[in-house]
Amino acid sequence: MTIIAAIDDFREAARRRLPRFLFDYADGGALGEHTMRRNVADLQDVAIRQRVLQDVASIDLSTRWFAQTVPLPVALGPVGIGGMFRRRGEVQAARAAARHGIPFTLSTVAICSLEEVRAGAPDVNLWFQLYIVRDRGFMRELIARAKAQGATALVFTVDMPTPGIRHRDLHSGMSGPGGPARRALQAMGKPGWAWDVGLRGRPHQLGNLLPVLGRDSGMNDYIGWLADNFDPGIRWRDLDWLREAWDGPLIIKGILDPVDARDAAAYGAQGLIVSNHGGRQLDGVPSVARALPAIADAVGDRMTLFADGGVRSGLDVVRMLALGAQGVLLGRAWLWALAAEGEEGVDRLLSMLEKEMRVVMTLAGCNRVTAIDRTILAESLTYHEERLT
Ligand SMILES: Cc1cc2nc3c(=O)[nH]c(=O)nc-3n(C[C@H](O)[C@H](O)[C@H](O)COP(=O)(O)O)c2cc1C
């Protein structure tokens, strides 16, 4: 049994429970996985100023995004096929998010459909993530379904005009020749998962895509559908229709460059997620921790800025906020917690993050999430240190 004290423990517990193809699908990134590793390492290198005697008797973790108050500056980000990690996994994660009052983002390529998630988690603040696919009519239909289920924000992912190249998926049997047989073999070695998800977690379909893929949509269709249907030919001006189809908050996900950030603002998006897709798309691009400050300088006064990539603790959440984000999305962290302990695991993860944030903010002498900015970073002392030496 793995003792769970930190997010890395959830990762270890997930590794024990999941068949290899699923663990590696979540754990891996593009090509040499350098950007994926840098997301974690660069964030961990961000040093916080320790401050004392600043009256931190009460800590306020709440903030406001698009006129909504959230009790914690954290959302569960979109991940594909989350329902393969635990039985009807997206519903379980959404229920945990609802318990903490934070948004849950449902991926286009989730196992559970918008309708299933809403029925299973009636109170959740539901965000819907949309990919750019060739069939515009289908995108409109998905937006209409998201509206009908009361989604409060549309997360429009723009960093996947084509899927990244992920070597681990070939090695593991997630994709490539012999995949189904290898996956079945791996599942047999993980009876806990095989019983919970393999047998009782059916149907293993991409719930939101059933109207286009039909009842037989499964893991093979997943990879194939992604590769065939993403649209690399699209430009900002081709997206005018989207502003009309969705009149709520629009958050563009997958921005890493200040020029693209300005374009997103000019396009009329209210929010941005600074993200490199967890290092799963273009290996070799900067980490989110490195990219974020310049984007905050470019558009932070006009847009609500979110960031994801490499967040593995409450301390990391505070670091992202200090670098310029107003909110942080979790990716692998919640998948690992879900795989390890289901809804209870995601609940525990969010409680852990909250507790860690409180301790970090207390020791940094900062009592409000909305007051976190670059002044809480130790780098702001570099000048004085240089003068002393
Ligand atoms: C297994 C997995 C599946 C993902 N699927 C999606 C997806 O369907 N849509 C999307 O916009 N991003 C997707 N992402 C990217 C995440 O939303 C997020 O950007 C990334 O995981 C953040 O990095 P982190 O996992 O290191 O926190 C996925 C990430 C992982 C790990």
Side-chain angles (χ1 to χ4, degrees):
M1 201 189 85
T2 313
I3 292 175
I4 307 285
I7 289 178
D8 281 344
D9 299 324
F10 279 127
R11 175 173 179 266
E12 197 43 45
R15 184 208 295 278
R16 284 165 192 253
R17 191 177 161 89
L18 294 171
R20 179 183 165 197
F21 75 89
L22 272 181
F23 179 78
D24 276 356
Y25 161 69
D27 200 57
L31 299 175
E33 303 185 339
H34 299 288
T35 294
M36 182 182 87
R37 285 192 296 272
R38 288 250 61 94
N39 275 349
V40 174
D42 287 351
L43 194 56
Q44 287 179 353
D45 280 347
V46 174
I48 308 278
R49 285 171 79 180
Q50 173 180 288
R51 300 292 313 281
V52 300
L53 299 175
Q54 296 295 308
D55 182 5
V56 280
S58 86
I59 301 274
D60 182 0
L61 297 183
S62 70
T63 190
R64 281 174 77 75
W65 302 331
F66 318 118
Q68 296 170 14
T69 299
V70 281
L72 194 67
V74 170
L76 301 190
V79 294
I81 62 166
M84 296 303 292
F85 288 76
R86 202 83 186 189
R87 176 166 24 130
R88 312 319 288 165
E90 291 95 354
V91 170
Q92 297 203 47
R95 291 169 67 92
R99 217 177 295 165
H100 288 262
I102 64 161
F104 169 79
T105 316
L106 186 70
S107 166
T108 296
V109 288
I111 296 291
C112 301
S113 66
L114 277 155
E115 294 76 12
E116 182 177 351
V117 170
R118 175 53 80 206
D123 302 330
V124 74
N125 181 357
L126 183 62
W127 289 3
F128 181 63
Q129 178 264 320
L130 187 66
Y131 273 128
I132 307 175
V133 295
R134 292 183 199 280
D135 182 347
R136 302 284 188 276
F138 180 59
M139 283 167 84
R140 276 180 195 281
E141 215 174 280
L142 275 177
I143 291 171
R145 284 170 65 192
K147 266 192 201 169
Q149 297 309 321
T152 58
L154 186 68
V155 173
F156 190 57
T157 300
V158 293
D159 62 2
M160 205 185 269
T162 185
I165 297 172
R166 303 179 195 155
H167 297 322
R168 274 212 235 184
D169 285 349
L170 260 183
H171 284 288
S172 71
M174 177 72 185
S175 59
R182 296 181 60 205
R183 295 199 293 268
L185 212 62
Q186 291 169 19
M188 277 166 15
K190 300 289 179 182
W193 178 89
W195 172 245
D196 178 56
V197 183
L199 292 173
R200 294 166 74 213
R202 289 176 179 275
H204 299 158
Q205 295 163 330
L206 304 178
N208 295 319
L209 303 184
L210 274 181
V212 278
L213 283 179
R215 294 239 146 254
D216 293 330
S217 67
M219 298 276 299
N220 283 334
D221 301 278
Y222 171 54
I223 307 291
W225 190 86
L226 292 186
D228 294 345
N229 284 279
F230 287 148
D231 188 350
I234 204 158
R235 293 155 300 182
W236 288 106
R237 63 173 178 265
D238 301 322
L239 289 172
D240 285 344
W241 65 271
L242 183 70
R243 291 309 293 125
E244 286 146 34
W246 176 264
D247 49 9
L250 177 67
I251 307 172
I252 306 288
K253 177 171 184 283
I255 297 289
L256 216 54
D257 190 289
V259 177
D260 284 340
R262 286 202 190 93
D263 283 348
Y267 169 69
Q270 290 88 346
L272 268 195
I273 303 173
V274 181
S275 173
N276 50 36
H277 217 101
R280 297 164 74 79
Q281 284 297 96
L282 180 55
D283 193 33
V285 295
S287 67
V288 171
R290 276 185 52 201
L292 177 55
I295 294 176
D297 288 343
V299 298
D301 55 341
R302 280 173 281 169
M303 306 180 86
T304 304
L305 279 195
F306 301 88
D308 71 20
V311 173
R312 303 291 179 263
S313 64
L315 170 56
D316 288 344
V317 174
V318 173
R319 286 170 163 142
M320 283 291 203
L321 300 179
L323 293 173
Q326 284 139 277
V328 170
L329 275 77
L330 305 175
R332 295 177 178 89
W334 78 255
L335 263 189
W336 291 331
L338 178 75
E341 296 182 344
E343 179 181 338
E344 298 312 314
V346 182
D347 185 17
R348 181 133 75 117
L349 162 76
L350 292 171
S351 299
M352 263 165 47
L353 286 182
E354 184 179 329
K355 183 176 167 199
E356 288 170 5
M357 283 188 70
R358 283 186 191 283
V359 172
V360 170
M361 288 173 66
T362 302
L363 295 172
C366 180
N367 64 6
R368 279 178 299 122
V369 150
T370 48
I372 297 177
D373 62 17
R374 283 178 210 173
T375 60
I376 77 155
L377 295 179
E379 273 72 21
S380 55
L381 299 179
T382 307
Y383 171 66
H384 303 285
E385 281 167 7
E386 277 170 2
R387 281 217 312 186
L388 288 174
T389 52

